[in-house]
Every structure is written in structure tokens, then in C-alpha cells.
Amino acid sequence: MLYPLALKIRWLLLAVVVGLPGAAAAASVENVRLGQHGERTRIVLDISEAVDFQVFSLADPYRVVVDLPEMTWNADSASFKVRAGLISGLRFGLFKPGNSRLVLDASGPVLVDKAFVLTPGDGLGYRFVIDLVPTDRATFLAGMRPPSDADEA
């Protein structure tokens, strides 16, 4: 019988729109900041909640890839046109259902020195932080995760 199914679908849609219990709200990226501190380039995503992440690198061209849970990107698109230090460009989007991806185009070989989530404090909310430092090609390649077909960025 289709009527009970249609009723369930309506309830789920209403739950998502209104935010009723049982409706999973996606985390969101509210702002993106890039900064240069000596040889270190720092990327900061202001996020609505703590998230799990995976970071890996790809070569030719040099890229650092950050996989995140599916997120809503509320950050001003102009913030993604900013270049700083070791970052020559960045892009983001839904990679596959349940998985968002941030790709940092690097101007040369880099190492991820740190990647972490800061908890709220000093008037700021959650922040995902990644620090990149320059390296040589051999070191970059030695630390690179071998790409799989799902890793193309």
C-alpha cells in the first residue's frame, strides 16, 4: 500500500526541513582562511562541529586532499579564490554521498606538518586546521599515500 509509504516520506522531509529529532543535520563550513607564517602555510576551516577527517597527498600536480563527512559549504566562494604561501588554489565539494572533499593545490612538494580540530574557545567555534611545510620531491613521494581509483581529485 503506497499511502503509508507516502506518509513516511512526507514526515522525513518535514523532519529535515524543520529539524525534528531523527533528522541528521550536516556539519557546515562557515569560513576559510589561509595564512603564511614563515615557511609554514596554515589553512583554517571554521566549522559548525567537530568532524573526522583523512588527509593524503597526490602528485603531478602536487595536491593535498582532505576527506570530510558530507558538509554544507556556507563559506563565501570568494574565500576559495585566495592564494597564500604554498597554496596556489583550492576547491571543495561533495565527492560522493556522505563524503565531502577539499583539495589544496600546492605550488610545489609539501608535507602535512599538522592536521587537527580545535574545540571552541576564545570566542571562536570549532576549527579544522592544516599546516603545510615545503619539502623536496623525494620526501613528498615517499610520504604520499598511493592513490586508488577513488582518490582522484
Side-chain angles (χ1 to χ4, degrees), residues 25-149:
S28 61
V29 176
E30 301 301 324
N31 192 25
V32 178
R33 292 175 276 134
L34 293 153
Q36 182 70 26
H37 309 282
E39 288 194 343
R40 176 180 314 274
T41 299
R42 174 166 280 188
I43 299 92
V44 179
L45 302 181
D46 294 322
I47 55 179
S48 62
E49 60 190 71
V51 295
D52 292 327
F53 61 89
Q54 290 185 344
V55 179
F56 59 95
S57 300
L58 297 171
D60 303 322
Y62 296 112
R63 291 158 290 164
V64 175
V65 180
V66 182
D67 278 341
L68 300 154
E70 187 169 334
M71 299 181 79
T72 303
W73 298 85
N74 295 330
D76 181 0
S77 61
S79 66
F80 286 87
K81 295 182 174 128
V82 175
R83 273 74 172 149
L86 302 169
I87 301 300
S88 60
L90 57 139
R91 55 194 180 280
F92 66 93
L94 183 65
F95 178 61
K96 60 184 177 183
N99 181 215
S100 289
R101 178 167 279 183
L102 172 67
V103 179
L104 306 169
D105 297 317
S107 57
V110 297
L111 285 178
V112 176
D113 184 47
K114 298 176 188 170
F116 54 94
V117 174
L118 286 170
T119 57
D122 297 327
L124 299 169
Y126 288 99
R127 288 147 291 156
F128 170 75
V129 179
I130 185 167
D131 286 342
L132 303 176
V133 294
T135 190
D136 58 69
R137 182 171 173 82
T139 305
F140 176 89
L141 293 174
M144 190 177 80
R145 183 178 105 179
S148 69
D149 60 342

